[in-house]
Amino acid sequence: MQQLQNYINGELISPLSSEWIDNFDPSKGEVYSQIPRSKKEDIELAFDAAKKALPVWSNTTLEERSKVLLKIANLLQQKLVDFAKAESKDNGKPLALALNIDIPRAVSNFEFYAHALTQFGSEAHESVGKNTINFTLRKPIGVVGCISPWNLPLYLFSWKIAPALAAGNCVVAKPSEITPMTAYLLSEICIEAGLPKGVLNIVHGLGNEVGQAIVEHPQIKAISFTGGTKTGEHLARTAAPMFKKLSLELGGKNPNLIFADCDYEQMLKTTVKSSFANQGQICLCGSRIFVEESIYEKFKIDFIAETKKLKVGIPSEASSDLGAVVSEAHIQKILGYIDQAEKQDAKILTGGKRVEVKDHENGYYLEPTIIEVKSNRCQLNQEEIFGPVVTIMPFKTEEQALEMANDVRYGLSATVWTSNLDRAMRLSNTLEAGIIWVNTWLNRDLRTPFGGTKDSGVGREGGFEALRFFTEPKNVCIQYKN
Ligand code: NAD
């Protein structure tokens, strides 16, 4: 059985403990490879390598840094199909999604920051009349930590690593232990691309062991984390007393507000995607759907009909709209929420059951599920389920829709469907979320700030925001004589 390796100091090596963790293929529910169960000692090795590489990497010219990031992007592009197959097998997502979204976006992340680093500037402030000029130096932070989740494995891993490296830092990174494969394959690409040894170190293992060791490390000065809100809270508690810089991209329970004046066909098509793409395991999925009363019954019928057309099947087959969810533990968690529907005075309109796929009977397949709820305060509307499950309920007025949309601890994204520009602007101003989509969904321009408010996180990724996060600003104040 294949054993993945850590990538430390430019080399692929086994964990010091020689302990391994099973890695599952969710489409079959079978172990198909093993990953290092790394520990604190492996993080020490990775940190030492990163620290040694830092003086050279942080002084490498912008052009050189840019070139090597572009080389990584090019190699990834050349191997796109292999990476997409690996991502689909490791995560359970449809191959088409990995081919069209996950891996192309990972390529774009490296390309984007290869270019962005050459355009990144800092400010100068002239104190007029005082013969004084201030300017801001933006220096790399040093050795930084990047920790990512399983839902968009390489997409989110590279979204952190690329800006961290672009800004001149050396990195100790940990992908999710549930989806480690493409991060491992990326190590091979980094070696081929000639990334100097120690600049990037990828250490595999469990969150509470290897992830914790990164966060606790006194000399790893910044942590960029994407994952669950509970883990984020724990991370913040650990890192705050050491005054680490933290970027936390956490959970969501995003509202999808549908008004009667919207482009109905476009809305319906997109709402099916924003509900069930990647088996609903995208932090930006619109899992709470609120529909204006006058079109509620029509929407309900059409949405159920469209959802029933979706095929749940083997991820590698082109006909599969939904693949497998990521793990047995996760499918059990989702089913646990579905089971509570009745107790919460909610009604399952379609779905709700495990799907048995021929020749893949042990895979983690679940029907796309729509639940009609009576109140936004019910648990199904307040807690992140993170699976192919959405709730729907009607609203009477814009004010009521806004109130329900904001009545939740999370604030990652919100979607609004309306042709009324005034309403679109009013809601963009008042919805409590870091990202508002109007008449669209998952429409991303990598220059824009990305992140959440409330319990969905702290800080922003994307564009120059990420380069600001991964640099320390230093004010230089010079007084001169006339
Ligand atoms: P998770 O919090 O369980 O794990 C995320 C990462 O943190 C993994 O690599 C894990 O090993 C690591 N980790 C766990 N415990 C740790 C610890 N004590 N110290 C350091 N690292 C630790 O999240 P998950 O289940 O992998 O991902 C799903 C969650 O991620 C959902 O809540 C989803 O909304 C969120 N998410 C958010 C965004 C966003 O941009 N806001 C994007 C994708 C996913």
Side-chain angles (χ1 to χ4, degrees):
M1 187 171 299
Q2 186 185 12
Q3 286 188 325
L4 310 194
Q5 304 270 285
N6 287 331
Y7 170 52
I8 296 177
N9 203 25
E11 284 172 16
L12 296 174
I13 57 170
S14 297
L16 291 172
S17 67
S18 299
E19 289 179 47
W20 303 86
I21 307 165
D22 288 339
N23 185 30
F24 285 78
D25 169 351
S27 78
K28 295 187 179 153
E30 280 173 8
V31 176
Y32 81 103
S33 58
Q34 292 190 312
I35 69 163
R37 183 169 177 176
S38 310
K39 301 278 171 62
K40 205 173 168 187
E41 297 71 35
D42 301 281
I43 291 300
E44 277 306 331
L45 264 190
F47 173 78
D48 289 345
K51 191 175 167 197
K52 218 164 132 210
L54 187 66
V56 174
W57 181 248
S58 59
N59 283 302
T60 301
T61 63
L62 301 185
E63 291 73 14
E64 279 301 313
R65 256 186 246 164
S66 179
K67 249 189 231 162
V68 68
L69 291 182
L70 281 176
K71 188 101 190 272
I72 293 172
N74 289 340
L75 288 169
L76 201 49
Q77 178 67 41
Q78 282 168 28
K79 297 181 181 180
L80 192 142
V81 175
D82 291 343
F83 267 76
K85 284 183 182 163
E87 198 73 296
S88 167
K89 189 178 174 71
D90 212 28
N91 173 279
K93 66 178 67 213
L95 177 59
L97 198 70
L99 276 172
N100 296 314
I101 308 271
D102 289 76
I103 310 304
R105 173 59 191 272
V107 173
S108 301
N109 289 341
F110 282 107
E111 275 173 352
F112 178 87
Y113 280 105
H115 297 305
L117 77 91
T118 68
Q119 305 299 314
F120 186 46
S122 60
E123 314 84 31
H125 300 89
E126 186 185 2
S127 305
V128 177
K130 293 184 178 171
N131 285 359
T132 302
I133 180 87
N134 286 273
F135 61 89
T136 307
L137 280 178
R138 283 206 164 260
K139 310 297 280 182
I141 292 175
V143 179
V144 300
C146 296
I147 301 176
S148 60
W150 50 257
N151 63 323
L152 300 165
L154 193 64
Y155 175 136
L156 290 175
F157 195 56
S158 54
W159 185 229
K160 298 182 178 303
I161 287 170
L165 297 176
N169 301 285
C170 291
V171 176
V172 177
K174 187 195 109 54
S176 170
E177 61 274 31
I178 301 171
T179 52
M181 187 56 85
T182 47
Y184 166 68
L185 296 175
L186 180 70
S187 327
E188 295 183 340
I189 279 194
C190 291
I191 294 171
E192 202 179 333
L195 185 70
K197 59 183 192 175
V199 169
L200 171 64
N201 304 276
I202 301 175
V203 188
H204 297 270
L206 300 174
N208 59 6
E209 295 181 350
V210 77
Q212 184 74 21
I214 293 175
V215 179
E216 280 177 356
H217 199 290
Q219 291 183 68
I220 296 181
K221 293 291 181 195
I223 306 285
S224 174
F225 169 82
T226 300
T229 294
K230 207 157 179 248
T231 317
E233 276 172 28
H234 173 75
L235 229 107
R237 263 198 302 275
T238 310
M242 288 181 271
F243 307 110
K244 292 191 187 209
K245 212 169 175 185
L246 279 183
S247 167
L248 302 175
E249 299 293 340
L250 310 176
K253 190 74 183 174
N254 310 308
N256 181 0
L257 274 49
I258 300 170
F259 289 88
D261 63 9
C262 71
D263 175 339
Y264 188 84
E265 291 310 315
Q266 184 61 31
M267 174 280 294
L268 187 63
K269 209 169 86 190
T270 311
T271 294
V272 173
K273 279 196 196 144
S274 67
S275 301
F276 303 120
N278 204 34
Q279 297 73 247
Q281 303 166 137
I282 302 181
C283 54
L284 303 162
C285 277
S287 51
R288 292 183 298 144
I289 304 176
F290 301 105
V291 187
E292 192 164 1
E293 202 175 43
S294 60
I295 59 164
Y296 184 71
E297 287 306 321
K298 175 175 166 50
F299 172 80
K300 193 161 123 179
I301 293 166
D302 294 343
F303 186 44
I304 292 172
E306 290 304 311
T307 300
K308 280 187 166 164
K309 285 184 200 161
L310 296 174
K311 186 179 169 221
V312 180
I314 298 169
S316 58
E317 288 180 358
S319 59
S320 300
D321 299 299
L322 277 80
V325 304
V326 79
S327 67
E328 180 61 34
H330 194 52
I331 202 169
Q332 291 305 337
K333 178 189 150 188
I334 301 168
L335 285 166
Y337 276 106
I338 295 171
D339 285 348
Q340 290 172 26
E342 212 174 303
K343 262 195 235 142
Q344 294 179 34
D345 203 13
K347 188 174 162 197
I348 298 170
L349 300 176
T350 183
K353 294 199 191 67
R354 219 173 157 141
V355 178
E356 205 167 282
V357 172
K358 193 167 173 292
D359 300 329
H360 286 61
E361 283 77 11
N362 294 326
Y364 318 130
Y365 300 95
L366 194 58
E367 290 174 335
T369 303
I370 306 173
I371 305 178
E372 187 172 46
V373 293
K374 295 231 172 89
S375 158
N376 180 56
R377 293 303 307 162
C378 71
Q379 215 179 344
L380 287 166
N381 261 37
Q382 292 293 319
E383 293 180 14
E384 185 184 45
I385 300 173
F386 214 54
V389 180
V390 292
T391 67
I392 64 170
M393 69 177 284
F395 65 82
K396 282 190 173 51
T397 62
E398 183 184 316
E399 292 70 28
Q400 192 194 5
L402 175 68
E403 196 189 311
M404 290 195 294
N406 285 343
D407 185 16
V408 73
R409 67 189 285 225
Y410 297 105
L412 189 52
S413 71
T415 306
V416 180
W417 290 96
T418 182
S419 58
N420 179 332
L421 181 62
D422 296 332
R423 175 168 23 233
M425 269 316 299
R426 277 196 299 273
L427 288 172
S428 300
N429 275 318
T430 48
L431 279 166
E432 294 166 356
I435 301 151
I436 313 288
W437 278 299
V438 179
N439 299 329
T440 183
W441 177 72
L442 208 64
N443 191 337
R444 295 276 299 122
D445 180 325
L446 300 190
R447 293 169 300 175
T448 59
F450 178 90
T453 61
K454 295 156 77 175
D455 289 5
S456 290
V458 179
R460 292 293 181 271
E461 298 186 322
F464 289 152
E465 297 281 343
L467 294 178
R468 286 190 197 103
F469 174 78
F470 283 118
T471 49
E472 190 74 49
K474 184 188 279 184
N475 170 231
V476 180
C477 176
I478 301 177
Q479 189 162 49
Y480 56 89
K481 295 195 174 86
N482 278 326

